[in-house]
Amino acid sequence: MTWREYHQATKHSVESLRRMRQVLDWGNMPDPFRYYEGVPVLDLPADPPVPEIPALDVLRGTSGTTPVGDGPALLSQLLFYSAAISASKRVPSTGYTYALRVNPSSGNLHPTEFHFLTRGLKGWPDGLYHYDPSRHMAEQRGRGDFELKLAGGSAPIVFVLTSIVLREAWKYGERAYRYCLHDIGHAWQALALCARAIGCRSSAEGSFLDDDVARICHLNSDEWPMLIVSLHGKSIPVHEADTGETIWVGGQANQLSKGTIAHPLIDSIHFATKLSSNGSSGSFAEPARTGSGEIKLPPPSSSTRSFGEVARMRRSALDFLGGKQSMSLAQLSAILAATAQPLSADFAGPHFIQLFLYAHRVDGLQPGIYRFLAERAELEQIRSGDQRVAAAGLSLGQDLAGNACVTFSMIGDLDRAARTYGDRGYRYVHFEAGAIGHRLYLAAEALGLGATGIGAFYDDEVHRHLNLLPNQGQVVYHFAIGYPVPDPRVSASNEPQDVTW
Ligand SMILES: Cc1cc2nc3c(=O)[nH]c(=O)nc-3n(C[C@H](O)[C@H](O)[C@H](O)COP(=O)(O)O)c2cc1C
C-alpha cells in the first residue's frame, strides 16, 4: 500500500461514515498510561519553576532562561510543561474522571509516549527512561550509555516519541494513523517550545531506521517510534558522562486492553512509511508554492502571559460562543505569525502546509475564505460570504467550526512530500500539521481565546469547497479558534493521582 491508497481509503464521506458506523467497546477501552513492572522509578521534583518568558515571545523564536541547578529539576520542568497531567474532566453520565494533559490528543486517547535517553546530566544517572505522566515520574529501563548516537551528535538529552496506535484505533478505526501523526506533531512542539522557554535548543529527526530505534529503546511490539527530539544548550547542567557498563533493567510493559482488533490499513501504511536503510531522502526538496495577497496583516497583538501558565492552561474548547463577539485582525495576525516560524527538523525545509481560513468574525475582515501567505504576512481572499454553515458542515457537522471566530483548513502538499521523502513524507506532512496546530493552541490561549483541533472532516468536500485541484494538496487537519463556552466538566489539576485514567 502507498500513502496515496491509505489516504484515499481513510477519507470521510457521508457514505463512508454510514458504512463504518461502529459501537465503542467501553469494556475494552485501552489504558492511556503505559507502565513497566519491575523497574526503578525516579522522582521528578514537584512544582518545578514556571518558565516566565511570555508564550508569544517563545512562539516568535525568543529563548528564555530558567536556570535550574541539576538534571532532575530540568527534566521535571521540561516534562511538567510539555507532557504532564494539567487538568481533569469529570463526565457526569459515567461519573468517571479523566486526566487531561499539557499536550492535546484526538479523543483524549493519548497514543504518544515520551521515552528519553540521558548522558552526563548533573545529578541524574545516564540511561534510558520512560516518562509516566500519571505519577510525574521516570521509569528507568536501563543504566549507562544507550547509543545516544542514534540522533546525530551527542546531545545530553534525547527524546524518542512513540505512538501506540491501538489506543487511537479503538475509537477511530483505520483513520487513526493520521491522528497519531498529528498527536506526535503536537507533542513535538509542546516539548520543543518548552525547551526553548527554558533556554535549550532542540532539533527533531524523522528519518531513522525504525527497527533499530525500537530495538535500542526496547519498545513493546504495540509501540512504534515516530520522532527523535534532541536537546542541546548551555542551560542543560552537565558533567562527565558515566563510564560504567550498560545495565539493562527492562521491565514488563502493561497490557493496555484485553483484546485488539486488526487494522490492516494501519499496518500497511506504517510498513510503507518505515525506513529500513539509510536512503538519500530529502535531497531534492522543492520550494513551496507562493503568491501575493491583497490584504497586508497588521502588526501582531502582544501578550505578557508566561509560557508556563499558557502551556498548562491550554485546553480544547468544547464549543465557541458564536454571537457577535469578534476577534481583532491584530490577534489573528499574532496567531498566524506563530505558525510561520521555521520548524527545527530534518524534514522541515519549505513548509508542506498551506493555511486556508474561514473568517467568521474578525474585525476588519469580510466574512469569507482566505489563503495565508506566510512569507509575506498577507491574506488572499478566495471566496466571499458567510462560511459558518459551510465550515461546520465540512467539519462533520461540528458546530464549533461555525461558532468560532475563525476556522482553518490545513492543506498538505502530500505529493511534494512524497517526491522529496518517499512514503515517509506522509508522516512529515501530518507532523507539521500537528506542530502548527499546537502553535495555534498556544497563541490563542496567550491572547485569551480558546482553540480546538479538528481531525474529522469530509476530505473531498473540503477540496471542492476550496476549489483545490488534485495537484494543489489535500486537507489534513482542521482547527477552530474563538471565545470558548465554559466547560463545567474541566478543573485544573496539579495532582496526577486524582483521576480514574
Ligand atoms: C489531532 C486532533 C484531532 C482532534 N479532533 C477533534 C474533533 O474533531 N472534534 C473535537 O471536538 N475535538 C477534537 N480534538 C480535541 C481533543 O478532543 C482534545 O485534545 C482532547 O479531548 C483532550 O483535551 P485537551 O485538548 O483539553 O487536553 C482533537 C485534538 C487533536 C490533537
Side-chain angles (χ1 to χ4, degrees):
M1 162 170 279
T2 61
W3 69 266
R4 198 185 299 280
E5 288 161 341
Y6 172 79
H7 198 70
Q8 189 63 31
T10 55
K11 283 181 177 173
H12 279 326
S13 65
V14 176
E15 256 315 292
S16 76
L17 288 177
R18 197 174 298 140
R19 269 200 316 270
M20 210 187 100
R21 192 161 293 164
Q22 66 182 81
V23 178
L24 288 181
D25 177 5
W26 289 100
N28 205 24
M29 182 183 174
D31 188 339
F33 296 113
R34 165 129 279 166
Y35 308 98
Y36 293 92
E37 299 285 346
V39 296
V41 180
L42 274 65
D43 256 338
L44 294 168
D47 300 323
V50 181
E52 295 287 0
I53 178 172
L56 282 188
D57 290 1
V58 178
L59 286 164
R60 280 189 210 116
T62 310
S63 284
T65 46
T66 309
V68 288
D70 59 14
L74 181 90
L75 288 168
S76 179
Q77 196 181 26
L78 261 177
L79 289 160
F80 193 72
Y81 290 100
S82 65
I85 290 174
S86 54
S88 59
K89 179 168 83 174
R90 191 166 185 287
V91 179
S93 57
T94 60
Y96 285 142
T97 305
Y98 297 88
L100 299 173
R101 308 190 197 178
V102 174
N103 55 314
S105 168
S106 185
N108 199 32
L109 295 164
H110 287 284
T112 308
E113 296 287 331
F114 288 63
H115 299 258
F116 57 97
L117 304 105
T118 64
R119 181 201 256 170
L121 209 51
K122 208 169 141 196
W124 185 266
D126 290 359
L128 168 67
Y129 298 86
H130 167 251
Y131 177 58
D132 174 4
S134 73
R135 296 178 286 179
H136 189 56
M137 287 183 176
E139 296 175 315
Q140 188 183 55
R141 305 201 60 220
R143 282 195 300 280
D145 186 354
F146 276 81
E147 297 183 55
L148 279 162
K149 299 184 283 304
L150 68 87
S154 53
I157 309 174
V158 177
F159 280 88
V160 177
L161 304 182
T162 66
S163 289
I164 301 182
V165 181
L166 68 87
R167 284 190 182 131
E168 203 70 23
W170 168 78
K171 181 168 181 187
Y172 298 110
E174 299 282 17
R175 191 169 161 109
Y177 195 75
R178 300 189 188 194
Y179 300 161
C180 290
L181 301 179
H182 291 130
D183 281 17
I184 290 283
H186 281 279
W188 163 35
Q189 285 305 288
L191 189 59
L193 292 167
C194 178
R196 183 185 291 160
I198 62 177
C200 308
R201 282 178 288 113
S202 76
S203 54
E205 282 175 52
S207 170
F208 52 80
L209 305 185
D210 297 63
D211 291 342
D212 283 6
V213 174
R215 183 182 47 76
I216 291 165
C217 297
H218 296 259
L219 297 180
N220 208 45
S221 58
D222 59 10
E223 209 174 322
W224 299 335
M226 290 292 185
L227 196 66
I228 299 173
V229 184
S230 313
L231 304 191
H232 316 257
K234 291 202 190 73
S235 58
I236 302 179
V238 285
H239 64 90
E240 283 296 296
D242 301 345
T243 49
E245 56 178 326
T246 302
I247 300 166
W248 173 239
V249 188
Q252 179 66 42
N254 62 334
Q255 194 186 341
L256 300 174
S257 58
K258 290 198 279 298
T260 51
I261 297 168
H263 291 99
L265 296 188
I266 290 181
D267 291 341
S268 301
I269 182 67
H270 187 61
F271 185 75
T273 59
K274 276 175 76 169
L275 296 180
S276 51
S277 63
N278 279 319
S280 59
S281 59
S283 54
F284 47 99
E286 306 155 35
R289 215 158 48 92
T290 51
S292 67
E294 61 281 8
I295 302 164
K296 187 91 199 143
L297 286 164
S301 300
S302 61
S303 150
T304 55
R305 287 188 73 196
S306 75
F307 180 84
E309 185 193 343
V310 165
R312 288 191 60 87
M313 294 296 287
R314 179 214 65 79
R315 287 274 66 84
S316 293
L318 179 66
D319 197 354
F320 299 96
L321 285 176
K324 290 205 169 62
Q325 207 173 1
S326 53
M327 66 191 279
S328 69
L329 197 53
Q331 284 178 315
L332 181 63
S333 174
I335 287 166
L336 290 171
T339 69
Q341 290 292 320
L343 297 166
S344 176
D346 59 353
F347 53 87
H351 278 221
F352 292 118
I353 298 289
Q354 168 87 78
L355 287 181
F356 284 76
L357 290 70
Y358 305 75
H360 304 318
R361 276 176 297 274
V362 182
D363 289 338
L365 206 57
Q366 293 290 323
I369 301 182
Y370 298 83
R371 192 162 76 95
F372 174 49
L373 303 159
E375 309 75 36
R376 307 168 68 102
E378 287 174 359
L379 294 174
E380 174 194 20
Q381 186 169 37
I382 60 167
R383 191 187 261 237
S384 63
D386 190 339
Q387 299 296 320
R388 288 175 296 177
V389 172
L394 293 171
S395 306
L396 244 61
Q398 299 186 74
D399 291 345
L400 79 176
N403 289 330
C405 293
V406 59
T407 295
F408 297 86
S409 282
M410 296 192 202
I411 304 301
D413 197 341
L414 293 165
D415 280 297
R416 184 160 54 87
R419 281 197 300 278
T420 311
Y421 298 108
D423 284 318
R424 186 73 153 200
Y426 190 69
R427 294 190 191 180
Y428 300 160
V429 175
H430 288 79
F431 292 164
E432 187 182 322
I436 289 175
H438 204 68
R439 287 160 169 262
L440 290 173
Y441 265 120
L442 295 184
E445 178 67 36
L447 293 164
L449 298 160
T452 302
I454 302 175
F457 40 78
Y458 292 116
D459 298 69
D460 286 336
E461 291 299 324
V462 174
H463 304 149
R464 274 190 280 278
H465 193 71
L466 297 178
N467 280 328
L468 285 180
L469 299 171
N471 66 353
Q472 288 178 307
Q474 307 211 33
V475 58
V476 291
Y477 200 12
H478 270 194
F479 211 89
I481 295 181
Y483 292 94
V485 297
D487 189 344
R489 305 166 307 168
V490 173
S491 46
S493 164
N494 278 344
E495 298 298 326
Q497 293 85 353
D498 66 358
V499 291
T500 315
W501 286 98

